[in-house]
Amino acid sequence: GDLLPADGVLIQGNDLKIDESALTGESDHVRKSLDKDPLLLSGTHVMEGSGRMVVTAVGVNSQSGIIFTLLGATGDDEDDGRDKKG
């Protein structure tokens, strides 16, 4: 049930199964391996196995960060539509 905090590429794995339902809506666990499907996405949960990955993206640059940005759910108050001068 560990949450992946960043996007990455699997470099070592042992019977790794990931719950990607938070991003894809698919309820089945996805088996990850070096030769078939090595991409790991932030916001997903490890359900079985173990592995190591090289981190490729974090924060707003990760897949879940991009989705949250597109939905306007970043919590960034930089541009809230009001004129801050007066």
Side-chain angles (χ1 to χ4, degrees):
D2 287 340
L3 177 69
L4 292 177
D7 291 354
V9 178
L10 184 67
I11 58 170
Q12 179 183 14
N14 183 26
D15 195 30
L16 190 60
K17 292 182 184 171
I18 305 292
D19 177 4
E20 294 183 345
S21 63
L23 293 179
T24 64
E26 176 61 49
S27 60
D28 292 337
H29 298 160
V30 179
R31 182 180 298 271
K32 299 289 182 170
S33 66
L34 298 174
D35 52 341
K36 291 264 184 181
D37 187 8
L39 297 179
L40 301 171
L41 301 173
S42 63
T44 60
H45 289 86
V46 177
M47 302 311 289
E48 290 183 30
S50 62
R52 290 179 188 244
M53 72 176 188
V54 172
V55 173
T56 58
V58 298
V60 295
N61 296 315
S62 68
Q63 195 64 42
S64 61
I66 291 168
I67 291 170
F68 288 135
T69 300
L70 291 173
L71 292 174
T74 59
D76 189 3
D77 292 335
E78 193 174 298
D79 182 19
D80 62 2
R82 290 183 284 165
D83 185 11
K84 294 186 175 22
K85 290 183 182 178

